[in-house]
Amino acid sequence: AGSMGGQRSSSATACEPPAGFVGLLDWATRRGLILRSCVPSEEVEEGGRGIVATERVPPNTALCEIPERLILTARRSSVKRLGLSSLDVLAVELLIQRKRGDTNPYLSSLPTTYTNLHHWSARAAAELQCQDFIKHHGRLRDQALQDWKAVRETGGSAWCNFEDYLWARSTILSRSVYIPGPGNEAGGLVPVGDMFNYAPPAGPDPPLPPCFLDFYLRDEVEAKVDGQEAKRRKRGSESTYFAGVSGSGAYDEKSECFIFRSGQRGYEAGEQIFVTYGMYTNRSLLEIYGFLLEDNPQDSVNLASVIDGDVLDGAAAAKLGSCFEVYQDGFPSWDLLCLVRWKAACLSHRGGKREARRIQTGCPCTLDLEAEAIEYLQEICSERLRRYDTSASQDEVILSGLGGKEGGEGGL
């Protein structure tokens, strides 16, 4: 869980909790919270606030233990279910506690606003100029509206307005963790533990064999790898503790606690500690958590809309798959790689079924055909870009003109 996130460790100097967190920590500690070798901080470079190591943390260290009695779940709620989902039961519980003015430091620590996708207006979603995204946003808003009406009518919560419901829904989506057991499908809210920020796992392995790369992309790829390595060193990742997957959390049935660990890597004192809670595209991150990552190895764009119909029909007949995506680093998905090769070898040069089967097994084509394949890949990528109303440089001008506005539709 966590409301914002970053991709890499960033240095922070504070190793004592800010004054605003002292009350929350005292309250949680009295109820069984255990925090080791780390503290909450408002000084992290990525995420606004996060958890920072106070000393060197070895890999797989138990950092934060939250007992079940501290975890807010639908199963432990006093709200009658009456056909409501686990998420809506927990949402109503949150709103009831907030409405009656509970002096709960955890409730006071929660964000007052969110930027999850269901908060966006149709006008804001349209700014992304992607029809699939716009339709997805519309479905999310419609579902949220339908669920809110059910809460008001079935759940006996006529006092609940739509914006308050969206706040509770976003709190749960962006901050809950998996808790086993019937009735806990929405997960649970874990005080302090939900301050760990997100770091994505590594992206998909490039499916391109050396032949494809060497002929056309070798210089570009080597330059990019060198540049990424330079950036990694600049970010302080020369630490021997940098390697490995970031931390994670899981419910431990023996101790009846949710435990966050440092994962496969360790941290130096002053570094922000991240957790990895799955592989998400930026659209999914926006939908569930309300943020996105500029460098997200999981992000991809589907190019099916710009591939000619006869190419798609032929690829379907040859059983080449249907996931025609290009990832953020420029590598095509396996299905897209097979398609562009098949188009060059079989559609353009009338290669037979034998050639199609070779392509499906990952065998490279001749150098001339490999060149045609990657040229077609570049062609459809360029066509996808041309279909946007604005260029990347125009978008940068628009973003710079926003002046760092946050929370409003201009900022979105």
Side-chain angles (χ1 to χ4, degrees):
S3 60
M4 290 281 291
Q7 182 174 354
R8 51 197 173 270
S9 166
S10 57
S11 61
T13 56
C15 287
E16 294 294 331
F21 291 136
V22 172
L24 171 63
L25 290 176
D26 287 347
W27 171 83
T29 302
R30 290 197 304 271
R31 288 160 176 78
L33 171 80
I34 298 175
L35 203 60
R36 300 185 184 93
S37 305
C38 60
V39 292
S41 174
E42 291 177 326
E43 299 182 16
V44 296
E45 184 177 333
E46 299 177 39
R49 64 182 187 179
I51 301 292
V52 172
T54 57
E55 59 187 8
R56 173 174 270 213
V57 177
N60 202 35
T61 298
L63 298 167
C64 182
E65 298 183 20
I66 302 106
E68 188 170 5
R69 61 180 174 274
L70 254 183
I71 302 173
L72 185 58
T73 64
R75 189 169 64 180
R76 299 179 65 236
S77 169
S78 59
V79 175
K80 295 181 180 179
R81 300 190 71 91
L82 299 173
L84 295 178
S85 68
S86 174
L87 187 149
D88 286 336
V89 169
L90 188 51
V92 172
E93 176 67 32
L94 265 180
L95 292 172
I96 288 175
Q97 290 191 22
R98 192 171 75 158
K99 185 172 182 286
R100 69 190 180 202
D102 284 10
T103 56
N104 182 330
Y106 178 60
L107 289 180
S108 302
S109 74
L110 294 173
T112 56
T113 59
Y114 291 96
T115 53
N116 298 57
L117 192 50
H118 55 223
H119 288 277
W120 292 31
S121 68
R123 183 174 69 85
E127 292 290 338
L128 273 72
Q129 305 171 25
C130 176
Q131 289 303 313
D132 182 58
F133 179 88
I134 294 169
K135 291 177 182 178
H136 183 68
H137 165 264
R139 289 192 293 267
L140 284 180
R141 287 283 294 189
D142 290 344
Q143 186 63 55
L145 188 62
Q146 179 180 328
D147 292 347
W148 168 65
K149 290 178 179 178
V151 164
R152 284 172 56 89
E153 296 168 6
T154 307
S157 304
W159 46 267
C160 172
N161 65 48
F162 189 46
E163 289 305 314
D164 285 344
Y165 171 74
L166 288 182
W167 172 86
R169 190 181 180 106
S170 293
T171 297
I172 297 164
L173 287 174
S174 65
R175 313 184 79 79
S176 63
V177 299
Y178 172 73
I179 304 294
N184 282 339
E185 293 79 10
L189 296 173
V190 285
V192 181
D194 59 7
M195 293 185 189
F196 284 99
N197 285 325
Y198 172 75
D205 291 332
L208 303 183
C211 182
F212 195 84
L213 285 176
D214 287 348
F215 182 75
Y216 213 85
L217 288 179
R218 181 179 56 206
D219 293 339
E220 292 182 26
V221 170
E222 288 179 353
K224 183 172 183 179
V225 169
D226 290 343
Q228 289 174 338
E229 181 63 22
K231 286 183 181 178
R232 190 173 69 84
R233 287 194 297 268
K234 183 178 179 182
R235 290 167 185 159
S237 55
E238 67 275 4
S239 165
T240 56
Y241 267 28
F242 184 83
V245 178
S246 296
S248 62
Y251 183 79
D252 180 68
E253 294 188 2
K254 184 176 181 180
S255 64
E256 296 185 333
C257 292
F258 194 93
I259 303 176
F260 288 92
R261 299 181 181 276
S262 57
Q264 296 177 6
R265 59 155 295 184
Y267 292 86
E268 304 287 359
E271 280 191 300
Q272 182 179 180
I273 300 173
F274 293 102
V275 297
T276 295
Y277 34 87
M279 297 183 180
Y280 293 98
T281 64
N282 274 345
R283 188 173 86 169
S284 295
L285 288 175
L286 279 173
E287 177 182 341
I288 302 170
Y289 301 105
F291 68 87
L292 55 77
L293 301 175
E294 183 177 349
D295 298 313
N296 185 353
Q298 310 302 328
D299 220 19
S300 63
V301 175
N302 194 304
L303 300 177
S305 63
V306 293
I307 298 173
D308 293 338
D310 59 339
V311 178
L312 289 175
D313 292 342
K319 299 181 179 180
L320 298 181
S322 58
C323 181
F324 305 126
E325 297 178 334
V326 61
Y327 294 101
Q328 188 185 58
D329 59 8
F331 288 108
S333 65
W334 178 256
D335 290 355
L336 182 58
L337 172 62
C338 290
L339 179 138
V340 297
R341 280 179 162 169
W342 175 86
K343 198 264 185 187
C346 300
L347 192 62
S348 301
H349 294 273
R350 302 191 178 281
K353 292 182 178 179
R354 182 179 178 182
E355 187 66 21
R357 285 195 294 270
R358 279 174 48 81
I359 289 171
Q360 285 178 306
T361 61
C363 293
C365 302
T366 65
L367 290 180
D368 288 344
L369 291 178
E370 293 284 88
E372 283 192 37
I374 200 167
E375 285 171 1
Y376 181 62
L377 175 60
Q378 291 174 327
E379 177 186 324
I380 57 179
C381 286
S382 297
E383 177 59 27
R384 184 68 179 85
L385 288 172
R386 281 193 292 270
R387 295 192 181 188
Y388 290 113
D389 295 335
T390 55
S391 66
S393 59
Q394 289 172 322
D395 288 341
E396 290 295 337
V397 172
I398 293 170
L399 289 172
S400 64
L402 293 175
K405 298 175 185 175
E406 295 181 0
E409 286 188 9
L412 292 176

